[in-house]
Amino acid sequence: MVKVEQVTAVEPSTLLEGPHWYAPNQSLYFCDIPECLIFRYDYKANKCYKAKIEGELNTKIGFIVPVEGKTNHFVVGLALRLAVISWDGVSPMAKVVKVLTEVDQDVKVTRFNDGKVDPRGRIFGGTMLSEEHGDIFTARKGTFYRYDHKSGKCAALKSKICISNGLTWDETRKIFYYIDTGDKDIKEYDYNPATGEISNERVLMNFLPAELGPDGMTIDTEGNLYMACFNAGKVLKINPNTKKIVQEIPIPGATQITSVAFGGPNLDELFVTTAQFDGRPAPAGGLFKVTGLGVKGTKMFDAKLD
């Protein structure tokens, strides 16, 4: 039986985003973009730790992913930079180790939003208009990128993005799924694991004229997608083969659902991040856990930098 519960060890915050399950220490990492915070939820201890980044106290953080082979090192989307930080997961302050690259230099009013690592360790992430510069739902100033650690550069994969959001890979079918919230759909691409190239764009599902905003996304081992629905208070389970919604998972007390990630010792628990804009009371803005789905998620990957 499906059960949804708030993870009370995590205090509700403004905009929790980008959950990433890290198996080596059984922890969930995520961020609060406008509050410029990174978090680690220690699953076994049921404790949550948070930190700011030294010298970047007011810099928005779009995502956080671990670095392969480097304990306590992470890549973060830091405004328009991809930066490597050092954080022990407990201290209230992290430090920037180095900046990998900076994007959108011809625009300069955008910021990184959602980002993830593909099965070969490449960083994929996109930008959007930063909130202080105008209406994020009408501007199309963002770009979707793939970072190549060998060249140290970002390749632009798609331009004129509204809000770059959910992304995930089906390794078996060699498919990449992507959400631009402004398009109100899920797109799919052919994915070349050897090169990281994506091609042959097509719309998998369209959610117009619904008011929900397609947001973060993940995938289970059976190839089903799980999509966070901003302003709709639920997560949708979607079968991409039939293009049908096969399950709706309401998140009680939260309307603004931002992202999802499988975690737990068996990768069978779905963590759900939420927001509390417009003065919405707790538990909005909290972290939730869904159990009893009867499925397992796919492994999340660490960024390769060497």
Side-chain angles (χ1 to χ4, degrees), residues 34 57 67 81 177 280 306:
L57 301 184
V67 174
R81 291 161 287 161
Y177 299 99
R280 296 168 191 265
D306 298 320

Side-chain angles (χ1 to χ4, degrees), residues 22 25 28 39 53 57 92 121 134 202-203 224 229 239 250-251 253 306:
Y22 186 57
N25 65 359
L28 186 77
F39 297 81
I53 299 176
L57 301 184
R202 60 265 186 196
V203 174
N224 297 299
C229 299
N239 183 327
I251 307 300
D306 298 320

Side-chain angles (χ1 to χ4, degrees), residues 2-4 232-235 247-254 257 288 290:
V2 175
K3 180 181 179 182
V4 181
K234 59 187 175 183
V235 174
Q247 188 174 12
E248 294 192 9
I249 308 165
I251 307 300
I257 315 303
F288 294 79
V290 183

Side-chain angles (χ1 to χ4, degrees), residues 150-273:
K150 294 180 180 178
S151 68
K153 296 180 180 179
C154 278
L157 304 180
K158 186 175 173 65
S159 60
K160 296 183 180 179
I161 300 293
C162 180
I163 303 174
S164 189
N165 242 318
L167 59 166
T168 195
W169 293 262
D170 185 325
E171 286 190 81
T172 302
R173 297 175 61 216
K174 296 182 180 178
I175 298 292
F176 170 68
Y177 299 99
Y178 176 68
I179 289 172
D180 175 350
T181 299
D183 290 342
K184 290 207 170 184
D185 62 23
I186 299 176
K187 292 183 174 67
E188 65 176 4
Y189 301 78
D190 296 332
Y191 164 68
N192 185 328
T195 64
E197 293 295 329
I198 59 174
S199 60
N200 191 22
E201 176 184 294
R202 60 265 186 196
V203 174
L204 174 70
M205 286 190 70
N206 194 303
F207 299 96
L208 289 169
E211 291 300 315
L212 67 86
D215 209 312
M217 180 169 51
T218 193
I219 192 168
D220 67 25
T221 55
E222 298 173 1
N224 297 299
L225 301 174
Y226 296 77
M227 185 187 80
C229 299
F230 197 87
N231 284 336
K234 59 187 175 183
V235 174
L236 297 181
K237 178 181 178 179
I238 296 164
N239 183 327
N241 296 314
T242 62
K243 300 185 179 182
K244 300 290 185 181
I245 297 170
V246 295
Q247 188 174 12
E248 294 192 9
I249 308 165
I251 307 300
T255 302
Q256 299 163 337
I257 315 303
T258 59
S259 197
V260 285
F262 279 100
N266 300 310
L267 285 182
D268 60 352
E269 302 176 30
L270 186 69
F271 288 98
V272 181
T273 53

Side-chain angles (χ1 to χ4, degrees), residues 86-202:
S86 174
W87 184 41
D88 63 7
V90 176
S91 303
M93 199 67 68
K95 293 184 179 181
V96 174
V97 176
K98 64 179 177 180
V99 174
L100 299 173
T101 190
E102 191 165 359
V103 301
D104 288 4
Q105 286 305 285
D106 57 334
V107 182
K108 295 186 177 181
V109 293
T110 53
R111 65 165 177 81
F112 268 110
N113 198 45
D114 210 350
K116 280 186 181 178
V117 177
D118 82 346
R120 297 295 179 90
R122 308 176 188 96
I123 303 166
F124 284 66
T127 59
M128 58 176 280
L129 183 72
S130 196
E131 290 83 351
E132 66 271 20
H133 294 296
D135 183 358
I136 64 172
F137 295 103
T138 58
R140 287 192 168 271
K141 295 184 178 293
T143 301
F144 184 57
Y145 293 99
R146 180 187 65 241
Y147 176 74
D148 184 344
H149 67 277
K150 294 180 180 178
S151 68
K153 296 180 180 179
C154 278
L157 304 180
K158 186 175 173 65
S159 60
K160 296 183 180 179
I161 300 293
C162 180
I163 303 174
S164 189
N165 242 318
L167 59 166
T168 195
W169 293 262
D170 185 325
E171 286 190 81
T172 302
R173 297 175 61 216
K174 296 182 180 178
I175 298 292
F176 170 68
Y177 299 99
Y178 176 68
I179 289 172
D180 175 350
T181 299
D183 290 342
K184 290 207 170 184
D185 62 23
I186 299 176
K187 292 183 174 67
E188 65 176 4
Y189 301 78
D190 296 332
Y191 164 68
N192 185 328
T195 64
E197 293 295 329
I198 59 174
S199 60
N200 191 22
E201 176 184 294
R202 60 265 186 196

Side-chain angles (χ1 to χ4, degrees), residues 9-31:
V10 179
E11 293 183 4
S13 196
T14 303
L15 175 58
L16 300 185
E17 262 284 12
H20 181 106
W21 178 258
Y22 186 57
N25 65 359
Q26 294 289 287
S27 293
L28 186 77
Y29 290 87
F30 50 100
C31 60

